[in-house]
Amino acid sequence: MRGFLALLLVVLGTHATWAADDDLPIVPKGFVVDVVAKEPLVSNPCVMAFDRRGRIFIAQGPQWRGPTPQTPGDRIDILIDEDSDGIADRRHTFAEGFNSVQGLAWHGDDLWIANAPDLTVVRDTDGDDRADQYFRIYTGLGNLEHSLHGLNFGPDGKLYMSKGNSKGYNRLDQLAPQAFRELWGLPSPEGAPDYTKIEAFTPKTYQRKYHTPQDDWGQQGGILRCDPYREGELFARNLEIVARGFRNPWDISFDDQFNWLGTDNDQTQGDKIFAPFYGAHFGWGHSWSYHWTGEGHLPTVPASAPLFEGSGAGVVYYHAKQFPEKYRNVFFINDWLRRKVYAFRPRWDGAWMKCQDGFPPEFAHAEGGRSLPSSSGRVFEPTDIEVGPDGALYVLSWGHGYGATIKDGKQIDAGRIYRIRYADNPLARWHSDRRSEPHSKWSLAELFADLGSDIPAWRVNAQNELLRRGAPAQRFLLSKLKDADLTPARQTWALWTVGRFPHASAIDDYLTQQVAAKAAPRNIRIQSLRILAQRVRQGTGQRELPAAVRELLASDEARLRHAAVQAAWQASQKEWIDDLLDLAANEKDRIVFYTTWNVLRELAPASERKTWLQDARGGVRLAALLGLFHDDLLTGKEALAYRDDADLRVAKLTNDWLEKTGQAKDEIRDVTAYRHSPIVADVQARSGRRYELDWTGLAVGKRHYTDRDYSITKVPEELSGLPFLRTANNDDRTTGGQ
């Protein structure tokens, strides 16, 4: 097989030059840009992934942006460098026939594919580099716009995914899992199961589902996770919402300490860089208080950097040694619309991850211009971004067109794969025959080395093999964790590997010792906290969190307090309610307080939570109100008692809620209904869409559009009660000479 497909091997010192310098993206001094592939090999490439042998797999094809059921499917190609000069010479199709592919992730020999409305897995069982088994894992996930993105396997063994707010058809023949329905605010059809059955196909029998690409929005998007396997078989159950309140989170990635970062797209206020965590709500589609930035807004979580007018796309974390120190341990973020790559260096403000530079500085750019059909000049419209096995940064460039351009039956759009490297540092010599050998033949030391890799597939495969080897691997990892010079990546992945061994009290004891050890590195303590919570939740460890975790609620470090509260939430520690109330009473950290009132909201019944409103401590009353408002468990009349609360935070929150929900309007002021004679009727539009005059008056809760299930959430006093014209949202892009 090695002779059949040469690896896309980077040759040290080779400068691949397939484009003039004035067509390459501009990068900082000392960096070099190579063109690894371009059209016609590549057209409108969306996402990529490196496999266990270090090869680039890219997704491309004609599906974006307005496919019909007859439009040919997208495909996944392997790029092949036959003469080892650093330039792809040809492509080899690994799998095909998909909807618009916007996410790829390897797990062993399985390639997971986000091709909404489906989530699909393909595998090559005979080693000919063509997938011969196809599995539809989920369906009904909405259209290709604001769709399923960002597939990542975490060190906890779970598959994470980002999902925009396009909703599925919500019918039994194309039904999304229950967690997606909850995210979109859709009631389940009668008789609907929580999951549909996983379907198996051959390449010839596989038929993708179809969802019209027209806008079809649900309440919100989110970050979700599931258990992808059980006993070695495809499983994809235990699906849950990790974070919500998004419009279109395109990509997510995590750093060496399992902290997440992503981007969310908005059309009006600007795109958002966010750092999600369990239970976070980032504002879009909030039940009563929409807020896009989250700044100064207690019901939701704030963004991690100032908003930007662009289109956030691929995100990756870089820790390799091939870049100078300034560009190590940073997230690189693509901006498709502005044709830029940003370098986001994390800075912790308590438990809140922010950008050290305020807004991340440019790393690469196309020298101005927007990525729209009218764009020109340098071909640099970055979609996905990954770190290669050589330590260079690989960036996909879409091409100047917005969608697919077909001529004589062939797609003719531009497309590039750029490699960005630092000229003064040699690229990593990563290739060896071992990469083609089964992991069962690798030594423990070789597997351990891959736990610290920049390549997601290498980390995942190494961890899975270590888990398969059982007790000897566990002992080896525990010995390696004593190394004071361990990199954060190996530290994190080794700990989670140890923590994923089941039913061993010695593992719980070890993790508890790490939590309690004040001299231990913060990362080890935080990961141990998280692992203990997962073991309690999944029944693979002890039944309750140890006292050492509860003690960290009083830690001087906000990140440790936050990890402890998160552990209490995910392990459902109802015995901690009094401790959490004490924390809420005095907590000053923005993120820790947010998680505290949310875990209290879930641990205690409504009747108990209402008694907290009489607590003498303002922080407790504030936490109680936030939770009760979130769950719609207070009437306007009940809330009026707190609009003049002695704690100004409580008073402000109450007045905001009263204003935005309008639930206490009659108690606040006497509103005389406006009366009008209907003198207009039968409003018609050239589009043929329905318009209607509402003579009963403008008010909160009224339907906003005739063709969307959006409700009005705020009405200026001057306009309250006036008749209004309810329009069709789908007419918002129409133009004409008159």
Short mmCIF file of all heavy atoms in Angstrom, two decimals, residues 412-454:
data_model
loop_
_atom_site.label_atom_id
_atom_site.label_comp_id
_atom_site.label_asym_id
_atom_site.label_seq_id
_atom_site.Cartn_x
_atom_site.Cartn_y
_atom_site.Cartn_z
N ILE A 412 -15.26 24.71 -11.79
CA ILE A 412 -14.07 25.46 -12.22
C ILE A 412 -13.64 26.50 -11.19
O ILE A 412 -12.82 27.36 -11.50
CB ILE A 412 -14.34 26.15 -13.58
CG1 ILE A 412 -15.52 27.14 -13.46
CG2 ILE A 412 -14.60 25.12 -14.66
CD1 ILE A 412 -15.70 28.01 -14.69
N ASP A 413 -14.16 26.42 -9.97
CA ASP A 413 -13.81 27.41 -8.96
C ASP A 413 -12.36 27.28 -8.53
O ASP A 413 -11.76 26.20 -8.58
CB ASP A 413 -14.71 27.23 -7.73
CG ASP A 413 -16.17 27.38 -8.07
OD1 ASP A 413 -16.60 28.51 -8.30
OD2 ASP A 413 -16.87 26.35 -8.13
N ALA A 414 -11.81 28.40 -8.07
CA ALA A 414 -10.45 28.39 -7.51
C ALA A 414 -10.45 27.69 -6.16
O ALA A 414 -11.49 27.52 -5.52
CB ALA A 414 -9.94 29.82 -7.36
N GLY A 415 -9.29 27.31 -5.72
CA GLY A 415 -9.13 26.69 -4.42
C GLY A 415 -7.65 26.48 -4.15
O GLY A 415 -6.88 26.21 -5.06
N ARG A 416 -7.25 26.66 -2.92
CA ARG A 416 -5.83 26.53 -2.57
C ARG A 416 -5.67 25.81 -1.23
O ARG A 416 -6.55 25.86 -0.38
CB ARG A 416 -5.14 27.90 -2.46
CG ARG A 416 -5.26 28.78 -3.70
CD ARG A 416 -4.38 28.30 -4.84
NE ARG A 416 -4.76 28.90 -6.10
CZ ARG A 416 -4.36 30.10 -6.52
NH1 ARG A 416 -3.57 30.83 -5.77
NH2 ARG A 416 -4.76 30.56 -7.70
N ILE A 417 -4.52 25.18 -1.07
CA ILE A 417 -4.05 24.76 0.24
C ILE A 417 -2.69 25.41 0.44
O ILE A 417 -1.74 25.14 -0.31
CB ILE A 417 -3.93 23.24 0.37
CG1 ILE A 417 -5.27 22.57 0.12
CG2 ILE A 417 -3.40 22.87 1.75
CD1 ILE A 417 -5.23 21.06 0.23
N TYR A 418 -2.61 26.31 1.39
CA TYR A 418 -1.36 27.01 1.70
C TYR A 418 -0.71 26.37 2.92
O TYR A 418 -1.39 25.97 3.87
CB TYR A 418 -1.62 28.48 1.98
CG TYR A 418 -2.12 29.27 0.79
CD1 TYR A 418 -3.39 29.83 0.79
CD2 TYR A 418 -1.31 29.48 -0.32
CE1 TYR A 418 -3.85 30.58 -0.29
CE2 TYR A 418 -1.76 30.22 -1.41
CZ TYR A 418 -3.03 30.76 -1.39
OH TYR A 418 -3.47 31.49 -2.46
N ARG A 419 0.61 26.32 2.88
CA ARG A 419 1.40 25.91 4.04
C ARG A 419 2.21 27.12 4.48
O ARG A 419 2.95 27.71 3.69
CB ARG A 419 2.32 24.75 3.68
CG ARG A 419 3.17 24.26 4.87
CD ARG A 419 4.14 23.18 4.43
NE ARG A 419 5.17 23.73 3.54
CZ ARG A 419 6.00 22.97 2.83
NH1 ARG A 419 5.89 21.66 2.86
NH2 ARG A 419 6.91 23.53 2.06
N ILE A 420 2.07 27.48 5.75
CA ILE A 420 2.80 28.62 6.30
C ILE A 420 3.84 28.07 7.28
O ILE A 420 3.50 27.39 8.24
CB ILE A 420 1.86 29.60 7.00
CG1 ILE A 420 0.77 30.08 6.04
CG2 ILE A 420 2.64 30.79 7.55
CD1 ILE A 420 -0.28 30.98 6.68
N ARG A 421 5.11 28.36 7.01
CA ARG A 421 6.20 27.86 7.85
C ARG A 421 7.16 28.98 8.18
O ARG A 421 7.19 30.02 7.51
CB ARG A 421 6.94 26.72 7.13
CG ARG A 421 7.51 27.10 5.77
CD ARG A 421 8.08 25.90 5.04
NE ARG A 421 8.45 26.21 3.67
CZ ARG A 421 9.63 26.69 3.28
NH1 ARG A 421 10.58 26.91 4.18
NH2 ARG A 421 9.88 26.94 2.01
N TYR A 422 7.93 28.79 9.24
CA TYR A 422 8.93 29.77 9.65
C TYR A 422 10.27 29.35 9.05
O TYR A 422 10.76 28.24 9.30
CB TYR A 422 9.01 29.85 11.17
CG TYR A 422 9.82 31.02 11.66
CD1 TYR A 422 9.40 32.33 11.42
CD2 TYR A 422 11.00 30.83 12.36
CE1 TYR A 422 10.14 33.41 11.87
CE2 TYR A 422 11.75 31.90 12.81
CZ TYR A 422 11.32 33.20 12.56
OH TYR A 422 12.05 34.27 13.00
N ALA A 423 10.87 30.24 8.26
CA ALA A 423 12.02 29.88 7.44
C ALA A 423 13.23 29.46 8.26
O ALA A 423 14.00 28.58 7.85
CB ALA A 423 12.39 31.04 6.52
N ASP A 424 13.44 30.06 9.43
CA ASP A 424 14.65 29.80 10.19
C ASP A 424 14.59 28.53 11.04
O ASP A 424 15.62 28.10 11.58
CB ASP A 424 14.96 30.99 11.11
CG ASP A 424 15.42 32.21 10.33
OD1 ASP A 424 15.76 32.04 9.13
OD2 ASP A 424 15.42 33.32 10.88
N ASN A 425 13.40 27.93 11.19
CA ASN A 425 13.27 26.71 11.99
C ASN A 425 12.97 25.53 11.07
O ASN A 425 12.03 25.58 10.27
CB ASN A 425 12.14 26.85 13.01
CG ASN A 425 12.49 27.83 14.11
OD1 ASN A 425 13.65 28.21 14.27
ND2 ASN A 425 11.49 28.26 14.86
N PRO A 426 13.75 24.47 11.16
CA PRO A 426 13.48 23.31 10.30
C PRO A 426 12.14 22.68 10.63
O PRO A 426 11.72 22.66 11.80
CB PRO A 426 14.64 22.36 10.61
CG PRO A 426 15.10 22.76 11.97
CD PRO A 426 14.90 24.25 12.07
N LEU A 427 11.48 22.17 9.62
CA LEU A 427 10.23 21.47 9.83
C LEU A 427 10.49 20.12 10.49
O LEU A 427 11.57 19.55 10.39
CB LEU A 427 9.51 21.28 8.50
CG LEU A 427 9.06 22.58 7.81
CD1 LEU A 427 8.52 22.29 6.43
CD2 LEU A 427 8.03 23.31 8.65
N ALA A 428 9.49 19.63 11.19
CA ALA A 428 9.64 18.37 11.93
C ALA A 428 9.80 17.20 10.97
O ALA A 428 9.09 17.09 9.98
CB ALA A 428 8.43 18.16 12.83
N ARG A 429 10.76 16.33 11.28
CA ARG A 429 10.93 15.09 10.51
C ARG A 429 10.03 14.03 11.14
O ARG A 429 10.46 13.24 11.98
CB ARG A 429 12.40 14.67 10.54
CG ARG A 429 13.33 15.65 9.84
CD ARG A 429 14.77 15.14 9.85
NE ARG A 429 15.67 16.05 9.16
CZ ARG A 429 15.90 16.03 7.85
NH1 ARG A 429 15.27 15.13 7.09
NH2 ARG A 429 16.73 16.89 7.28
N TRP A 430 8.80 14.04 10.71
CA TRP A 430 7.78 13.24 11.38
C TRP A 430 7.57 11.86 10.76
O TRP A 430 7.03 10.96 11.40
CB TRP A 430 6.44 13.98 11.34
CG TRP A 430 5.97 14.23 9.92
CD1 TRP A 430 6.26 15.31 9.15
CD2 TRP A 430 5.15 13.38 9.13
NE1 TRP A 430 5.68 15.19 7.91
CE2 TRP A 430 4.97 14.01 7.88
CE3 TRP A 430 4.53 12.15 9.34
CZ2 TRP A 430 4.22 13.46 6.85
CZ3 TRP A 430 3.77 11.60 8.31
CH2 TRP A 430 3.62 12.25 7.09
N HIS A 431 7.98 11.68 9.51
CA HIS A 431 7.60 10.45 8.82
C HIS A 431 8.50 9.29 9.21
O HIS A 431 9.72 9.41 9.30
CB HIS A 431 7.65 10.64 7.30
CG HIS A 431 7.24 9.43 6.56
ND1 HIS A 431 8.13 8.60 5.92
CD2 HIS A 431 6.02 8.88 6.37
CE1 HIS A 431 7.47 7.60 5.37
NE2 HIS A 431 6.20 7.75 5.62
N SER A 432 7.88 8.14 9.43
CA SER A 432 8.61 6.89 9.67
C SER A 432 7.70 5.74 9.26
O SER A 432 6.49 5.91 9.11
CB SER A 432 9.00 6.76 11.15
OG SER A 432 7.84 6.54 11.93
N ASP A 433 8.29 4.58 9.10
CA ASP A 433 7.51 3.41 8.72
C ASP A 433 6.47 3.06 9.79
O ASP A 433 5.45 2.42 9.49
CB ASP A 433 8.42 2.21 8.50
CG ASP A 433 9.27 2.35 7.24
OD1 ASP A 433 8.89 3.17 6.37
OD2 ASP A 433 10.29 1.66 7.13
N ARG A 434 6.74 3.49 11.01
CA ARG A 434 5.80 3.17 12.10
C ARG A 434 4.41 3.71 11.82
O ARG A 434 3.40 3.13 12.25
CB ARG A 434 6.35 3.76 13.41
CG ARG A 434 5.54 3.36 14.64
CD ARG A 434 6.09 3.96 15.92
NE ARG A 434 5.79 5.38 16.04
CZ ARG A 434 6.68 6.35 15.98
NH1 ARG A 434 7.96 6.06 15.79
NH2 ARG A 434 6.34 7.62 16.12
N ARG A 435 4.33 4.84 11.09
CA ARG A 435 3.02 5.46 10.83
C ARG A 435 2.10 4.53 10.03
O ARG A 435 0.88 4.72 10.06
CB ARG A 435 3.21 6.77 10.08
CG ARG A 435 3.84 7.87 10.91
CD ARG A 435 2.87 8.45 11.90
NE ARG A 435 3.55 9.24 12.93
CZ ARG A 435 3.08 9.41 14.14
NH1 ARG A 435 1.95 8.86 14.49
NH2 ARG A 435 3.75 10.14 15.01
N SER A 436 2.66 3.58 9.32
CA SER A 436 1.85 2.67 8.52
C SER A 436 1.59 1.35 9.24
O SER A 436 0.87 0.49 8.73
CB SER A 436 2.53 2.39 7.17
OG SER A 436 2.66 3.58 6.43
N GLU A 437 2.18 1.19 10.43
CA GLU A 437 2.01 -0.06 11.17
C GLU A 437 0.83 0.03 12.13
O GLU A 437 0.49 1.13 12.60
CB GLU A 437 3.29 -0.37 11.95
CG GLU A 437 4.49 -0.68 11.07
CD GLU A 437 5.74 -0.92 11.90
OE1 GLU A 437 5.70 -0.62 13.12
OE2 GLU A 437 6.74 -1.39 11.34
N PRO A 438 0.21 -1.09 12.45
CA PRO A 438 -0.88 -1.07 13.45
C PRO A 438 -0.37 -0.56 14.79
O PRO A 438 0.79 -0.82 15.17
CB PRO A 438 -1.29 -2.55 13.54
CG PRO A 438 -0.77 -3.19 12.30
CD PRO A 438 0.47 -2.43 11.91
N HIS A 439 -1.22 0.14 15.52
CA HIS A 439 -0.80 0.67 16.81
C HIS A 439 -0.50 -0.44 17.82
O HIS A 439 0.21 -0.21 18.81
CB HIS A 439 -1.88 1.60 17.36
CG HIS A 439 -1.92 2.93 16.68
ND1 HIS A 439 -2.66 3.17 15.55
CD2 HIS A 439 -1.28 4.10 16.95
CE1 HIS A 439 -2.49 4.42 15.16
NE2 HIS A 439 -1.66 5.01 15.98
N SER A 440 -1.00 -1.63 17.57
CA SER A 440 -0.72 -2.75 18.47
C SER A 440 0.77 -3.10 18.49
O SER A 440 1.25 -3.75 19.43
CB SER A 440 -1.54 -3.97 18.05
OG SER A 440 -1.24 -4.35 16.72
N LYS A 441 1.50 -2.66 17.46
CA LYS A 441 2.94 -2.94 17.40
C LYS A 441 3.78 -1.81 18.01
O LYS A 441 5.00 -1.94 18.09
CB LYS A 441 3.36 -3.18 15.95
CG LYS A 441 2.75 -4.42 15.32
CD LYS A 441 3.28 -4.64 13.91
CE LYS A 441 2.72 -5.91 13.30
NZ LYS A 441 3.25 -6.15 11.92
N TRP A 442 3.16 -0.74 18.40
CA TRP A 442 3.90 0.39 18.95
C TRP A 442 4.27 0.13 20.40
O TRP A 442 3.56 -0.55 21.14
CB TRP A 442 3.06 1.65 18.87
CG TRP A 442 2.84 2.21 17.48
CD1 TRP A 442 2.78 1.51 16.32
CD2 TRP A 442 2.64 3.58 17.15
NE1 TRP A 442 2.55 2.36 15.26
CE2 TRP A 442 2.46 3.63 15.75
CE3 TRP A 442 2.59 4.75 17.88
CZ2 TRP A 442 2.24 4.83 15.07
CZ3 TRP A 442 2.37 5.95 17.21
CH2 TRP A 442 2.20 5.98 15.82
N SER A 443 5.37 0.74 20.82
CA SER A 443 5.75 0.67 22.24
C SER A 443 4.91 1.67 23.03
O SER A 443 4.32 2.60 22.48
CB SER A 443 7.24 1.00 22.41
OG SER A 443 7.47 2.37 22.13
N LEU A 444 4.88 1.49 24.34
CA LEU A 444 4.16 2.43 25.20
C LEU A 444 4.75 3.83 25.08
O LEU A 444 4.01 4.83 25.08
CB LEU A 444 4.21 1.95 26.65
CG LEU A 444 3.39 0.69 26.98
CD1 LEU A 444 3.69 0.22 28.39
CD2 LEU A 444 1.90 0.97 26.81
N ALA A 445 6.06 3.92 24.98
CA ALA A 445 6.70 5.23 24.86
C ALA A 445 6.31 5.92 23.56
O ALA A 445 6.10 7.15 23.53
CB ALA A 445 8.22 5.08 24.93
N GLU A 446 6.20 5.15 22.47
CA GLU A 446 5.80 5.74 21.19
C GLU A 446 4.35 6.24 21.24
O GLU A 446 4.03 7.31 20.72
CB GLU A 446 5.97 4.71 20.07
CG GLU A 446 7.43 4.41 19.74
CD GLU A 446 7.59 3.21 18.83
OE1 GLU A 446 6.68 2.34 18.81
OE2 GLU A 446 8.63 3.12 18.14
N LEU A 447 3.49 5.47 21.88
CA LEU A 447 2.10 5.90 22.03
C LEU A 447 2.02 7.15 22.90
O LEU A 447 1.28 8.09 22.59
CB LEU A 447 1.27 4.77 22.64
CG LEU A 447 1.08 3.53 21.77
CD1 LEU A 447 0.49 2.40 22.60
CD2 LEU A 447 0.19 3.84 20.58
N PHE A 448 2.78 7.16 23.98
CA PHE A 448 2.76 8.31 24.88
C PHE A 448 3.22 9.57 24.17
O PHE A 448 2.66 10.66 24.38
CB PHE A 448 3.66 8.04 26.09
CG PHE A 448 3.69 9.16 27.08
CD1 PHE A 448 2.64 9.39 27.94
CD2 PHE A 448 4.80 10.01 27.14
CE1 PHE A 448 2.66 10.44 28.85
CE2 PHE A 448 4.84 11.05 28.04
CZ PHE A 448 3.76 11.27 28.90
N ALA A 449 4.21 9.46 23.30
CA ALA A 449 4.69 10.64 22.56
C ALA A 449 3.57 11.24 21.72
O ALA A 449 3.46 12.47 21.62
CB ALA A 449 5.87 10.24 21.68
N ASP A 450 2.72 10.40 21.13
CA ASP A 450 1.64 10.91 20.29
C ASP A 450 0.53 11.59 21.09
O ASP A 450 -0.27 12.34 20.52
CB ASP A 450 1.04 9.78 19.45
CG ASP A 450 1.65 9.73 18.05
OD1 ASP A 450 2.66 10.41 17.83
OD2 ASP A 450 1.10 9.02 17.18
N LEU A 451 0.45 11.36 22.39
CA LEU A 451 -0.55 12.06 23.20
C LEU A 451 -0.33 13.57 23.17
O LEU A 451 -1.26 14.34 23.39
CB LEU A 451 -0.53 11.57 24.64
CG LEU A 451 -1.03 10.15 24.91
CD1 LEU A 451 -0.97 9.85 26.40
CD2 LEU A 451 -2.45 9.95 24.39
N GLY A 452 0.89 13.99 22.90
CA GLY A 452 1.19 15.43 22.85
C GLY A 452 1.20 16.00 21.46
O GLY A 452 1.66 17.13 21.25
N SER A 453 0.68 15.26 20.49
CA SER A 453 0.75 15.69 19.10
C SER A 453 -0.22 16.83 18.79
O SER A 453 -1.24 17.01 19.45
CB SER A 453 0.44 14.50 18.19
OG SER A 453 0.29 14.91 16.84
N ASP A 454 0.12 17.60 17.73
CA ASP A 454 -0.81 18.59 17.19
C ASP A 454 -1.87 17.95 16.31
O ASP A 454 -2.84 18.60 15.94
CB ASP A 454 -0.05 19.62 16.35
CG ASP A 454 0.63 20.68 17.21
OD1 ASP A 454 -0.08 21.46 17.84
OD2 ASP A 454 1.87 20.72 17.23
#
